[in-house]
């Protein structure tokens, strides 16, 4: 198809009268026609296979661009618009060559003759000048010109294009792109893609006992492997080499249509789209055109349908059946097929998520054992037995001013027993175990990553410098234009001075957002204080008896709602701040965005937890001298069982709420809602019943899917979860179990989203998970320190140890509760702060108790800090130092003992290098032998020719002598 025909076909008006518009939303909502939407969903579409190829049925669609089409209302305006873009096609042909130029000129003359009778000269506008016509506005006209110019550049690059403006989706035009064989070869060589050669070799398995154990384990785990057909045996591997057109004989090119798979073809086309530039103003590749609205979307196609029985077998359908399905939750992931379909970067994410989930199994088992140990020993815990003893008549000081009265310590029996479930000696062991678990996980991932690099032929892959982003080049262009025109030939770049306002804005906004988080935490503190006082004034005895539980639970839920809302706000703020910095490359943009997002979301998620763990109950004061906020709100204190129980409640509600609501509900509901909105917007409420029943083609079906937004949200939610699992695990041993249950669902949920809900992402090569690994290591290191402080300062582990070994008369825990309580004379209350109902317990109270290490009122230094406080503080600080150093030393030993590269993989990589050298040596020897044969053959021919020439010369000489002698006679 020629370009003239393409332009004419693309701009031809639609025939037929306008159809009457029914009320689509009314049909769907009130008449129950949900089958309409179902008929248009990609799962039910059986004819979209036709959209995988051009109209000739031979050339595969490797990439699709979409744009807005505004159909002309009359034949006159359509002829005008056709004339305008035909002018543009002629202008483009002048840059091509004599043959195409002559063809375009002939077509242009014919078209001009047709339009001269009906098109006044005043309406002939120059598209390059962007003048508005009757139907097309100046803005739309300019977009059409930029599309034509960009598509012309793509054709110059060797790509083949086909337009479809008569699609079933009203107002959307499609540009289908196909990369022919010569373009694929050229770009594969430029991108240094590694492709399998004809040479295969056997991967030797380990011998002896190890091999027998591995074979036995593989047989036992055989039912857990997905039913994915392997094209070759596991012990056979193709030798891979960087593709080169000069060495095509090394590769198996028997089937050129499938030598480059669909993932590779689309990534090659995307690379061309990124670097193809236009002469139009500020057009710098496909990203700039998408940002300016010239094109509305750009995406590769999925391989085919997934749900229909009649659908042809394809990788997408296989992934849907063996991976994106909740019924196979117990099976391993087909990581090789995921990488083949989505690329290495997404394959590494799911490999990391799968390994993380596997490693959570032993952590969950140990956490459950620790929790069960607490349940089994709760009846033997002497401090809780003393609190719950019916003869316990310890009178405690009021928990708030005026409205709160004195209370019996025995009423805190339930809290004390529940605290023992999470605050027992086993939690110290579990904290050490989880620190070593984190180190084991990091080392195991490094080994797994190296194995995948070997299997995916990424061992020699190095990240090349990416193309500059369109926004960066735009800023550089602005900087160049603002300077002296004589210096425009110099290569400009953005310096730190150019980015200084953006950096200052980043710092101020980051501090402001963190301040907002702290302010909200402080607001929840005021809510707890005021709500507690209000509930104590209630006339309902049930309400007064459950004040602590009510306040703790509602405050935790408020914190969860605020965290969910601020997560979305902080994600948008982090992206805006990153855009202000104008990073040069996509990789730099992604890393800066990840760093900002992680800081804001980490502070948002863990600020309430950090407050409860380390600050609550320590800034209270004492009876008669409490610390007040705004002179009226008394700072809250921990219950007698300690703040660890409240920390557990906050941690569990936040973790479970984020996983259930944000990670699962949002990921299921939002993509479906957006897809429904796109259906409604695209139809604009105006299409007939017979039009609805028409089946969409593949590129039209994929248009309704959600665009791929990157892996940052997926990694981020898992990193935050990793923080919940490791940072405060001493207070919540069941955190790994809840994370494991969530991740089993998360893997299949993400898989289903990638296969059915998202447009196919462009395959990206990567040999590691990038900056996420450094963040994981940082979280693991911080977790050791935080758990040391939780054990020593938040729990009662250290005070119990100090009492048992320093103050207990018999070396037991009897008397521990009395040892931790100080005395207060109620006559020393400040005026106006004493209880309104001092006879609440039925008798007058003269001395009440409170939890602290202070001197009694009858001592020489009443209410001063006692020596027991300093002894406990010294042991707490010593424990933090010892725990931190011992655990980090053990982690470093684990890191040193486990090699980063498995031994068998290092041997196979070395073997590949030797085989590759041998292959090239044999090739060179073959070339030399062929050259020598040619030279020897040429030498023999030269010798025979020289002998024949000599013989003929002698014969001529003799015949000449004979003639001469004859003449003389």
């Amino acid at each position: 198809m020629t370009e003239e025909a393409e332009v004419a076909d693309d701009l031809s008006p639609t025939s037929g009268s306008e159809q009457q518009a029914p009320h689509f939303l009314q049909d769907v909502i009130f008449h129950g026609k949900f089958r309409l939407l179902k008929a248009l969903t990609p799962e039910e579409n059986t004819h979209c296979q036709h959209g995988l190829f051009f109209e000739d049925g031979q050339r595969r669609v490797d990439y699709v661009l979409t744009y807005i089409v505004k159909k002309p209302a009359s034949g006159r305006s359509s002829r005008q618009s056709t004339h305008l873009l035909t002018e543009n096609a002629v202008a483009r042909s002048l840059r091509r060559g004599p043959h195409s130029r002559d063809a375009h000129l002939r077509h242009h003359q014919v078209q001009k003759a047709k339009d001269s009778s009906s098109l006044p000269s005043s309406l002939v506008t120059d598209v390059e000048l962007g003048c508005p016509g009757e139907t097309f506005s100046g803005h739309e006209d300019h977009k059409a010109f930029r599309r034509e110019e960009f598509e012309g550049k793509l054709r110059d690059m060797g790509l083949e294009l086909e337009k479809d403006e008569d699609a079933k989706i009203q107002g959307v035009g499609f540009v289908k792109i196909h990369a022919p064989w010569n373009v694929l070869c050229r770009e594969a060589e430029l991108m240094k893609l590694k492709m399998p050669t004809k040479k295969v070799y056997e991967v030797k398995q380990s011998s002896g006992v190890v091999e027998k154990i591995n074979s036995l384990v593989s047989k036992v785990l055989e039912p857990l492997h997905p039913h994915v057909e392997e094209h070759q045996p596991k012990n056979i591997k193709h030798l891979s080499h960087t593709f080169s057109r000069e060495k095509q004989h090394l590769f198996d090119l028997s089937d050129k249509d499938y030598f480059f798979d669909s993932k590779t073809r689309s990534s090659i086309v995307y690379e061309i789209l990124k670097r193809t530039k236009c002469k139009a103003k500020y057009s710098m590749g496909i990203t700039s055109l998408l940002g300016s609205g010239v094109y509305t979307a750009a995406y590769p196609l999925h391989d085919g349908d997934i749900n229909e029985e009649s659908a042809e077998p394809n990788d997408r359908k296989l992934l849907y059946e063996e991976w994106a399905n909740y019924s196979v939750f117990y099976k391993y992931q087909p990581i090789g097929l995921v990488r083949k379909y989505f690329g290495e970067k997404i394959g590494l994410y799911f490999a990391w998520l799968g390994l993380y989930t596997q490693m959570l199994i032993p952590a969950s088992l140990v956490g459950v054992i620790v929790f069960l140990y607490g349940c089994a020993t709760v009846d033997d815990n002497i401090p809780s037995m003393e609190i719950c003893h019916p003869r316990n008549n310890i009178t405690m000081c009021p928990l708030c001013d005026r409205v709160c009265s004195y209370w019996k310590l025995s009423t805190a029996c339930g809290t004390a027993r529940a605290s023992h479930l999470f605050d027992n000696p086993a939690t110290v062991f579990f904290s050490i175990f989880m620190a070593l678990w984190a180190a084991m996980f990091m080392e195991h991932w490094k080994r797994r990553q190296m194995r995948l690099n070997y299997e995916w032929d990424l061992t020699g892959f190095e990240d090349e410098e990416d193309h500059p982003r369109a926004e960066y080049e735009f800023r550089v262009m602005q900087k160049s234009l603002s300077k002296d025109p004589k210096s425009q030939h110099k290569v400009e770049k953005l310096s730190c001075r150019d980015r200084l306002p953006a950096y200052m804005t980043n710092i101020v906004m980051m501090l402001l957002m963190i301040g907002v988080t702290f302010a909200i935490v402080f607001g929840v503190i005021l809510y707890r204080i005021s709500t507690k006082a209000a509930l104590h004034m209630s006339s309902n005895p049930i309400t007064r008896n459950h004040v602590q539980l009510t306040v703790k639970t509602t405050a935790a839920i408020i914190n969860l709602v605020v965290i969910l809302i601020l997560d979305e706000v902080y994600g948008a703020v982090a992206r805006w701040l990153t855009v202000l910095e104008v990073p040069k490359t996509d990789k730099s943009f992604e890393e800066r965005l990840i760093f900002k997002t992680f800081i804001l979301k980490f502070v948002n998620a863990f600020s309430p937890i950090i407050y409860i763990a380390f600050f609550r109950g320590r800034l209270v004061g004492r009876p008669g001298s409490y610390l007040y906020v705004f002179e009226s709100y008394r700072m809250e204190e921990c219950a007698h069982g300690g703040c660890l129980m409240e920390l557990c409640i906050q941690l569990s509600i936040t973790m479970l709420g984020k996983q259930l609501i944000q990670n699962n509900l949002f990921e299921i509901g939002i993509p479906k809602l957006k897809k429904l909105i796109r259906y409604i917007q695209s139809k604009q409420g105006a299409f007939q019943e017979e039009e609805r029943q028409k089946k969409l083609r593949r590129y039209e079906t994929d248009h309704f899917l959600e665009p791929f937004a990157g892996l940052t949200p997926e990694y981020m939610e898992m990193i935050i979860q990793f923080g919940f699992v490791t940072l405060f695990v001493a207070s919540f041993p069941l955190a790994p179990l809840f994370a494991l249950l969530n991740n089993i669902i998360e893997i299949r949920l993400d898989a289903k989203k990638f296969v059915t809900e998202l447009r196919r992402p462009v395959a990206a090569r990567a040999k590691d998970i990038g900056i996420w690994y450094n963040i994981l290591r940082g979280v693991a290191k911080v977790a050791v320190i935080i758990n040391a402080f939780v054990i020593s300062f938040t729990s009662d582990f250290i005070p119990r140890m100090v009492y048992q070994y320093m103050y207990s008369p018999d070396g037991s825990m009897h008397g521990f509760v009395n040892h931790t309580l100080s005395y207060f004379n109620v006559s020393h209350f400040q005026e106006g702060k004493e209880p309104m109902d001092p006879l609440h317990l039925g008798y007058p109270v003269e001395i009440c108790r409170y939890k602290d290490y202070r001197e009694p009122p009858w001592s020489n230094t009443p209410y001063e800090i006692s020596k027991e406080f300093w002894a406990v503080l010294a042991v707490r600080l010593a424990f933090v130092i010892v725990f931190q150093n011992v655990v980090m030393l053990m982690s470093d030993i684990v890191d040193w003992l486990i090699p980063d590269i498995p031994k068998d993989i290092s041997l196979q990589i070395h073997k590949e290098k030797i085989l590759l050298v041998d292959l090239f040596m044999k090739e060179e020897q073959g070339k030399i032998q062929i050259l020598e044969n040619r030279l020897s053959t040429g030498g023999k021919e030269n010798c025979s020719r020289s002998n024949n020439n000599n013989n003929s010369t002698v014969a001529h000489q003799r015949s000449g002598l004979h003639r001469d002698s004859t003449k003389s006679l």
Side-chain angles (χ1 to χ4, degrees):
M1 181 184 291
T2 61
E3 291 183 21
E4 303 92 321
E6 287 179 16
V7 174
D9 291 342
D10 295 337
L11 294 166
S12 61
T14 54
S15 60
S17 60
E18 293 291 330
Q19 297 178 341
Q20 200 171 11
H23 292 83
F24 171 63
L25 282 176
Q26 184 178 353
D27 288 343
V28 172
I29 296 173
F30 297 107
H31 299 290
K33 294 186 178 180
F34 286 101
R35 60 186 178 85
L36 167 62
L37 289 180
K38 191 176 181 182
L40 293 176
T41 57
E43 291 82 5
E44 295 295 326
N45 196 340
T46 59
H47 298 288
C48 50
Q49 180 70 20
H50 300 297
L52 291 173
F53 294 88
F54 277 19
E55 293 298 330
D56 56 11
Q58 300 295 324
R59 293 173 291 173
R60 175 178 288 274
V61 178
D62 297 320
Y63 218 86
V64 172
L65 306 177
T66 67
Y67 56 93
I68 297 175
V69 176
K70 292 191 176 179
K71 294 291 184 180
S74 64
R76 176 181 175 182
S77 59
S78 66
R79 285 194 299 271
Q80 178 188 350
S81 59
T82 305
H83 176 75
L84 293 177
L85 293 181
T86 306
E87 290 272 4
N88 180 27
V90 173
R92 192 179 68 244
S93 69
L94 296 177
R95 300 192 298 267
R96 292 240 180 140
H99 300 290
S100 60
R101 181 168 61 244
D102 295 340
H104 275 291
L105 287 174
R106 286 195 300 270
H107 176 78
H108 178 56
Q109 291 171 357
V110 173
Q111 185 70 28
K112 195 169 184 180
K114 288 181 181 179
D115 296 339
S116 60
S117 59
S118 61
L119 184 66
S121 59
S122 59
L123 293 177
V124 179
T125 55
D126 190 355
V127 178
E128 301 211 19
L129 296 177
C131 299
E134 282 187 358
T135 306
F136 284 81
S137 65
H139 188 59
E140 294 297 326
D141 200 25
H142 180 61
K143 288 183 179 179
F145 163 66
R146 292 174 68 181
R147 280 196 298 270
E148 281 294 312
E149 186 179 12
F150 183 71
E151 291 162 16
K153 292 279 188 179
L154 294 180
R155 290 188 178 96
D156 292 340
M157 295 292 292
L159 297 178
E160 298 175 3
L161 277 61
E162 185 178 82
K163 283 190 176 183
D164 182 9
E165 292 188 353
D166 297 326
K168 300 179 182 64
I169 305 175
Q170 295 183 6
V172 179
F174 296 88
V175 179
K176 296 174 282 186
I177 303 176
H178 168 76
W181 172 254
N182 60 331
V183 175
L184 293 173
C185 293
R186 181 191 71 207
E187 297 299 324
E189 186 173 352
L190 291 175
M191 295 170 65
K192 300 179 181 179
L193 296 180
K194 267 192 170 183
M195 304 301 295
T197 62
K198 298 176 184 177
K199 177 72 175 177
V200 295
Y201 67 96
E202 183 179 1
V203 179
K204 290 185 179 181
Q205 304 293 333
S206 56
S207 58
V209 181
V210 179
E211 182 182 5
K212 292 180 180 179
I213 295 175
N214 289 337
S215 62
L216 180 62
V217 171
S218 63
K219 287 181 181 179
V220 173
L221 299 179
E222 184 65 29
L224 301 181
H225 289 280
H227 300 294
V228 179
E229 296 181 2
E230 297 289 342
H231 297 289
Q232 59 187 22
K234 291 184 178 180
N235 59 339
I236 298 297
K237 188 176 186 298
H238 278 275
L239 189 65
S240 297
H241 184 256
T242 306
F243 186 82
S244 173
R245 286 173 289 182
E246 296 179 355
K247 300 184 182 298
Q248 289 191 25
H249 57 278
L250 297 177
F251 306 94
D252 184 10
L253 304 181
S254 57
D255 190 357
K256 293 184 178 180
D257 291 337
Y258 294 96
F259 178 74
F260 296 104
D261 56 14
S262 59
K263 172 252 305 181
T264 308
R265 296 174 70 98
S266 62
S267 62
I268 287 175
V269 174
Y270 180 67
E271 189 70 19
I272 297 175
L273 292 174
K274 279 201 304 183
R275 70 167 188 260
T276 301
K277 299 181 180 180
C278 299
K279 290 184 179 179
K281 191 176 183 182
Y282 308 143
S283 293
M284 303 168 187
I286 188 62
T287 52
S288 174
L289 297 176
L290 288 171
S292 59
V294 176
Y295 291 102
T296 56
Y299 51 90
L301 297 182
H302 280 292
D303 274 358
D305 206 1
I306 51 176
N307 257 353
E308 287 292 333
E309 296 294 333
S310 59
E312 296 183 7
N314 56 75
D315 289 341
R316 188 189 184 199
K317 185 175 182 181
L318 189 59
L319 283 172
Y320 180 76
E321 293 171 352
E322 295 295 331
W323 182 50
N325 200 330
Y326 293 111
S327 62
V328 295
F329 72 92
Y330 60 92
K331 290 187 177 182
Y332 291 106
Q333 300 181 85
I335 295 298
L337 187 60
V338 174
R339 173 252 178 180
K340 178 187 174 186
Y341 192 77
F342 291 110
E344 287 79 8
K345 194 170 185 178
I346 294 176
L348 281 173
Y349 164 71
F350 281 103
W352 174 83
L353 181 57
L355 179 65
Y356 171 49
T357 305
Q358 291 177 26
M359 292 291 291
L360 282 173
I361 295 175
S364 302
L365 292 176
V366 177
V368 170
I369 292 172
V370 169
F371 179 74
L372 294 178
Y373 170 81
C375 295
T377 58
V378 67
D379 292 331
D380 301 328
N381 183 37
I382 295 176
S384 62
M385 290 171 62
E386 289 183 348
I387 294 175
C388 297
H389 199 278
R391 294 183 181 178
N392 178 16
N393 59 355
I394 298 178
T395 303
M396 303 298 293
C397 296
L399 295 175
C400 61
D401 294 339
R402 299 293 293 166
V403 295
C404 300
S405 186
Y406 306 106
W407 56 285
K408 288 290 188 180
L409 181 60
S410 57
T411 58
C413 174
T415 306
R417 289 173 63 86
S419 298
H420 178 73
L421 301 179
F422 305 100
D423 186 6
N424 54 70
T427 56
V428 180
F429 158 76
F430 190 55
S431 299
I432 298 174
F433 170 81
M434 287 304 294
L436 298 179
W437 173 87
M440 290 282 291
F441 167 59
M442 304 301 293
E443 292 304 310
H444 196 178
W445 168 244
K446 284 195 288 187
R447 291 169 62 84
R448 173 71 170 150
Q449 192 171 254
M450 282 304 303
R451 190 174 294 276
L452 291 177
N453 284 342
Y454 163 72
E455 294 175 358
W456 296 350
D457 299 319
L458 295 171
T459 49
F461 172 72
E462 295 293 337
D463 291 331
E464 299 178 2
E465 186 176 356
D466 202 356
H467 299 291
R469 298 174 64 248
E471 293 83 354
Y472 179 83
E473 291 193 346
F474 175 65
R475 287 287 301 274
V476 170
M477 183 186 301
Q478 284 184 324
K479 182 179 178 182
S480 301
L481 294 175
S482 63
K483 288 192 172 184
D484 186 20
K486 296 180 180 179
S487 62
Q488 285 186 12
H489 66 278
K490 295 181 181 179
V491 180
E492 294 285 351
K493 65 178 182 179
L494 296 183
S495 60
C496 292
R497 185 175 180 181
D498 299 323
R499 291 193 174 104
L500 185 60
Y503 289 153
M504 296 301 297
T505 305
N506 269 261
I507 295 172
V508 172
M509 287 299 297
M510 292 283 286
L511 294 177
L512 178 62
M513 293 296 103
I514 293 173
V516 168
T517 304
F518 291 160
I520 291 176
V521 171
F522 185 70
V524 175
I525 295 171
L526 296 182
Y527 162 80
R528 276 199 292 255
I529 296 171
S530 57
T531 305
K532 185 185 295 183
L535 292 178
H536 274 293
M537 296 173 64
S538 174
S539 59
N540 190 344
I542 299 177
T543 304
R544 291 198 303 271
N545 293 336
H546 297 87
V547 169
Q548 293 288 344
L549 182 62
T550 304
V551 171
K552 293 174 189 175
T553 307
T554 55
I557 294 174
I558 292 173
N559 272 323
L560 171 63
V561 173
V562 170
I563 286 171
L564 294 178
I565 295 174
L566 288 184
D567 265 355
E568 303 301 320
V569 175
Y570 287 165
V573 170
R575 178 168 291 275
W576 173 66
L577 293 176
T578 309
V579 169
L580 284 181
E581 291 184 8
V582 196
K584 184 175 181 180
T585 62
D586 288 330
K587 183 180 179 181
S588 175
F589 181 90
E590 185 181 21
E591 289 180 349
R592 297 184 187 206
L593 175 63
I594 289 170
F595 178 74
K596 294 181 183 65
T597 309
F598 172 74
I599 293 296
L600 292 176
K601 291 193 174 184
F602 185 87
V603 172
N604 182 38
F606 290 101
S607 290
I609 300 171
I610 291 173
Y611 162 73
I612 294 175
F614 303 126
F615 296 99
R616 183 175 179 180
R618 287 167 179 78
L619 305 174
V620 178
R622 61 170 181 83
S625 180
Y626 282 114
L627 179 65
Y628 290 90
V629 181
F630 302 138
E631 299 182 357
S632 57
Y633 294 99
R634 193 178 107 185
M635 289 299 293
E636 53 186 347
E637 50 189 307
C638 296
H640 185 76
C643 284
L644 201 68
M645 188 62 195
E646 297 183 32
L647 178 62
C648 177
I649 294 174
Q650 179 69 55
L651 191 65
S652 58
I653 291 179
T654 304
M655 181 179 179
L656 295 177
K658 277 181 66 67
Q659 290 181 350
L660 292 176
I661 298 175
Q662 190 177 43
N663 298 358
N664 295 333
L665 186 62
F666 285 3
E667 289 190 6
I668 295 173
I670 290 180
K672 291 186 179 297
L673 181 62
K674 287 183 177 179
K675 188 165 69 172
L676 175 62
I677 292 173
R678 274 195 298 275
Y679 275 120
I680 297 171
Q681 288 179 343
S682 65
K683 300 304 176 186
Q684 298 172 356
F687 53 89
Q688 290 282 2
E689 183 69 26
E690 60 269 22
E691 189 72 20
R692 301 171 188 176
Q693 300 301 328
K694 289 184 180 180
K695 298 296 184 178
L696 301 179
R697 287 166 286 190
R698 178 79 265 152
Y699 54 87
E700 296 169 326
T701 307
D702 287 0
H703 175 72
F704 289 113
L705 299 179
E706 180 75 9
F708 176 63
L711 289 171
T712 300
E714 314 298 335
Y715 273 114
M716 188 63 67
E717 65 185 50
M718 288 296 106
I719 296 295
I720 297 297
Q721 186 201 84
F722 183 78
F724 282 120
V725 168
T726 56
L727 290 177
F728 295 92
V729 74
S731 62
F732 191 39
L734 295 179
L737 176 63
F738 289 125
L740 173 64
L741 297 177
N742 173 79
N743 287 5
I744 291 174
I745 302 173
E746 180 76 19
I747 290 176
R748 307 302 165 181
L749 184 64
D750 282 349
K752 194 176 184 66
K753 182 174 68 173
F754 273 81
V755 174
T756 64
E757 302 292 339
L758 296 180
R759 292 173 187 163
R760 187 174 183 178
V762 179
R765 290 185 296 170
K767 63 186 301 184
D768 52 39
I769 59 175
I771 193 175
W772 297 111
Y773 181 80
N774 297 328
I775 293 177
L776 280 171
R777 286 189 66 90
V779 172
K781 297 293 184 185
V782 172
V784 176
I785 302 172
I786 287 184
N787 279 305
F789 277 96
V790 168
I791 294 171
S792 60
F793 285 91
T794 308
S795 72
D796 283 337
F797 175 75
I798 299 299
R800 287 196 297 263
M801 296 292 291
V802 171
Y803 174 78
Q804 185 174 2
Y805 293 105
M806 292 182 63
Y807 298 104
S808 176
D810 55 357
S812 67
M813 292 301 296
H814 290 286
F816 170 73
V817 175
N818 187 63
H819 177 75
T820 59
L821 297 177
S822 299
Y823 294 88
F824 178 73
N825 191 336
V826 297
S827 62
H828 296 164
F829 271 120
Q830 292 177 343
E831 186 178 354
K833 305 296 183 183
E834 65 277 359
M836 296 172 60
D837 185 13
L839 300 177
H840 174 72
L841 297 178
Y843 56 87
V845 177
E846 297 180 357
I847 298 293
C848 66
R849 309 291 293 275
Y850 62 98
K851 190 174 182 180
D852 203 350
Y853 290 102
R854 290 183 180 270
E855 296 291 341
W858 54 79
S859 68
N860 297 329
T861 55
Y863 307 124
E864 292 294 327
I865 294 175
S866 63
K867 61 180 181 180
E868 288 87 353
F869 172 83
W870 298 110
V872 171
L873 180 61
V875 176
R876 279 174 166 168
L877 294 176
F879 176 84
V880 169
I881 296 172
V882 173
F883 182 89
Q884 173 187 338
N885 286 279
V886 169
V887 173
M888 285 192 173
L889 178 62
M890 295 171 68
S891 300
D892 292 339
I893 292 174
V894 170
D895 191 359
W896 176 71
L897 288 177
I898 301 176
D900 294 345
I901 305 176
K903 186 177 179 180
D904 59 329
I905 295 299
S906 60
L907 292 176
Q908 295 299 335
I909 292 173
H910 184 64
K911 181 179 179 180
E912 270 198 1
K913 292 180 180 179
I914 295 174
L915 289 174
L916 203 58
V917 171
D918 290 343
L919 181 64
F920 284 116
M921 290 299 294
K922 289 180 181 179
E923 183 186 1
E924 291 297 325
Q925 290 174 0
K927 287 181 179 179
I928 293 172
Q929 189 173 0
I930 292 172
L931 185 60
E932 288 178 350
N933 291 338
R934 288 180 179 177
L935 290 174
S936 62
T937 305
K940 290 179 180 179
E941 291 178 356
N942 291 335
C943 290
S944 62
R945 285 176 186 155
S946 62
N947 290 334
N948 292 335
N949 292 335
N950 292 335
N951 293 335
S952 62
T953 303
V954 172
H956 282 301
Q957 290 175 350
R958 289 178 179 174
S959 62
L961 290 173
H962 180 69
R963 284 195 300 271
D964 291 341
S965 60
T966 305
K967 286 180 182 179
S968 63
L969 288 172

